[in-house]
Amino acid sequence: EGIQTPLLYMVALVGLFILLYPGLAMAASAGVAFWTTPLLPILSLLQGVASGFFVVLATVDSEAMASLTSQLPQIGFGLIAALAIFMIVYAVVMLRRGGAAALSSTYLVRKNPLAFWALSVGLGLALPCIVLLADIQWGLIVTIAAIGRLVGDVAFRYTILKVGSFESVI
């Protein structure tokens, strides 16, 4: 047990770094105003935690989770709600920033309907909420919700990368 605790802390720190890294790396790109914000690492963290939560739901057997069953829907809704609110806040803040950031924010919601609305919002946010609302326990449906969450996560990250516009220097 002596080595397990330090190892657990190290794994937790590495996991936190992995969750934050995409947002930190993009936020360091000074040429793209849509990415240069401290909001992006937080958004990256929320995306990863929400996806991880649903993957855990899909992979852990129901007996192991039986004691938490009543709290899992609230946790899931809380994560999805926080993520949805933060996605809106991010888009609005970037829109109000003006210039290339505003253009990118507009492109995020208008120019990529499949990646943003269908995949990021539909599969990544709505589908997991529907599964939680339906009070479906485990099995294939929860696995589909986890896959939807992962697809939504990847689609949102792809869209953020795609819509980032460079600031004009002239």
Side-chain angles (χ1 to χ4, degrees), residues 29-42:
S29 302
V32 181
F34 191 60
W35 301 342
T36 54
T37 172
L39 297 175
L40 199 54
I42 298 167

Side-chain angles (χ1 to χ4, degrees), residues 92-166:
V92 169
V93 166
M94 293 298 105
L95 188 62
R96 291 183 178 225
R97 190 182 231 187
L103 180 65
S104 296
S105 187
T106 301
Y107 282 170
L108 177 69
V109 296
R110 292 196 180 148
K111 299 283 184 179
N112 295 287
L114 176 64
F116 183 73
W117 292 108
L119 299 178
S120 298
V121 175
L123 284 179
L125 299 177
L127 179 63
C129 283
I130 291 168
V131 168
L132 291 172
L133 278 173
D135 197 29
I136 297 168
Q137 297 302 313
W138 318 114
L140 182 61
I141 300 299
V142 176
T143 301
I144 291 169
I147 291 168
R149 179 63 228 127
L150 289 170
V151 168
D153 187 348
V154 171
F156 185 74
R157 291 171 193 255
Y158 166 78
T159 307
I160 291 287
L161 284 169
K162 185 175 179 181
V163 301
S165 300
F166 288 97

